[in-house]
Amino acid sequence: MLALRLARGAHPLVLTRRLLVAGAAAGVGFLLLCTLGYAVGHPERSSASVLRLLWCALPLAATVQFAVAVARTDPSTRPRPGLSAIGLGPARLTAIAAASTAVACALGSMVALLFYLHLRGDITGLPFDGAAADLLAADEPIPLAAALTLLAVLPVVAATAAGLALRPRTAPAEPEGVEKPMPSGLPWGIALVAVGLAIETYAGRSGAADGLPLPGRFDGNPAGVLAGWVLTAFGLAMAGPGITHGCGRLLQGARPGAVRLLAGRVLMDESRRIGRPLGVVSAVVSGILAAAALYDADTGSDAFGPLTGLGASLILACTTATLLTAALESKQGRTHTTEALLRIGAPPTVLRTAALMRAGALLAVFLPLTWLVAKLAALPLTG
């Protein structure tokens, strides 16, 4: 009840972000229910149903990442003076954040269930002249227990992830002479990208006959190609903080002025916070570019079904929203520094120029990297 009261009295921007989480949860819930409908309508294709369910893990993971990012920027879950005296310490605030995340995701799941039942005709008859009857197995009864179990996965996972991300922790003491937050995942990320691209190339050239049945009709490529892309995506996400940290170092090179020094230092300090969402967005965009190259090559308009497009749209929207939310969290974390700079007489144009310089440095590095990974990933599929 406390989580609901805090949500009711929250700022409109906070409520908008929670509604976006609920919308993403509705999309994931609809995908899961469509997978259940496929399994009910095609009991002889159990392996294909399992693979479709596994494919839904990608939009589910993107939605969980977005939900955690929204929970981190929620002002109602931040420790404030006086709250501990009334029993709202850090642990209780973490529980409230997890409960708020679960409520938003559960709301989206219920919307997905109602929309799915409406399209099946279980509420008011078949809409759209029964156009979605075959896709949703409208002639077969849906097991309610299985549907509710699938819909409960996202709220439980998102609430658990939010609780783990916001749990109170004691910062370890750092040895003297070690620069604070120096990311260490860059070598492993590069190695994963290389391994993923190698697996894609080998699987694409091996000519394996068995394709991976995805929701829709994109099933003509070996499973190793998609497994390689998943490894590549993990590698980019792991390398993102290190690449962002390197961008900050480059900005401070060659006798930097005050603006370049400020921009580079902020990038280095915030590399862990914004680097991982940047790497995830780079991986998603590279996958979309590779899929677009495959679409233009020889597969035609029948390669992607409506559910494949819905899943891809959810992944792109959630990862982009996560990046923007992380940037907002980074800006909120620099509030005291910004106020101090303004108090000592720094003109606002310096802060705006430093922000533009940070964005330009990140785009100058991540755009070519995304294009290169997309071309290498599409090569075994198109050639």
Side-chain angles (χ1 to χ4, degrees), residues 35-265:
T35 302
L36 176 62
Y38 179 86
V40 171
H42 304 83
E44 73 282 359
R45 303 178 184 175
S46 58
S47 59
S49 300
V50 172
L51 289 174
R52 285 169 175 259
L53 185 61
L54 291 177
W55 183 86
C56 292
L58 294 179
L60 188 146
T63 303
V64 169
Q65 184 193 26
F66 179 42
V68 171
V70 169
R72 290 173 63 95
T73 56
D74 192 343
S76 64
T77 60
R78 296 175 186 167
R80 281 168 287 180
L83 290 181
S84 297
I86 60 174
L88 292 178
R92 182 67 63 86
L93 290 178
T94 299
I96 292 174
S100 301
T101 303
V103 168
C105 294
L107 175 62
S109 297
M110 291 300 102
V111 170
L113 179 60
L114 292 176
F115 184 66
Y116 180 78
L117 294 177
H118 173 66
L119 290 181
R120 279 175 45 89
D122 295 335
I123 299 179
T124 58
L126 280 174
F128 308 115
D129 296 328
D134 294 336
L135 182 63
L136 305 180
D139 55 341
E140 297 288 343
I142 292 294
L144 184 59
L148 294 179
T149 301
L150 284 177
L151 291 177
V153 171
L154 178 58
V156 171
V157 173
T160 303
L164 291 176
L166 298 175
R167 71 186 187 279
R169 58 172 67 91
T170 302
E174 297 183 358
E176 296 183 1
V178 177
E179 187 177 4
K180 180 182 176 183
M182 184 65 181
S184 58
L186 183 59
W188 290 103
I190 294 175
L192 280 179
V193 170
V195 170
L197 292 174
I199 291 176
E200 287 185 57
T201 304
Y202 176 79
R205 292 181 178 179
S206 63
D210 294 333
L212 183 63
L214 300 179
R217 295 177 294 275
F218 183 45
D219 56 0
N221 294 286
V225 172
L226 297 175
W229 180 83
V230 171
L231 282 179
T232 302
F234 274 112
L236 286 174
M238 188 176 293
I243 296 174
T244 305
H245 193 275
C247 291
R249 282 189 175 276
L250 288 177
L251 280 176
Q252 298 178 84
R255 298 182 180 179
V259 178
R260 280 205 293 136
L261 189 63
L262 177 63
R265 198 65 193 177

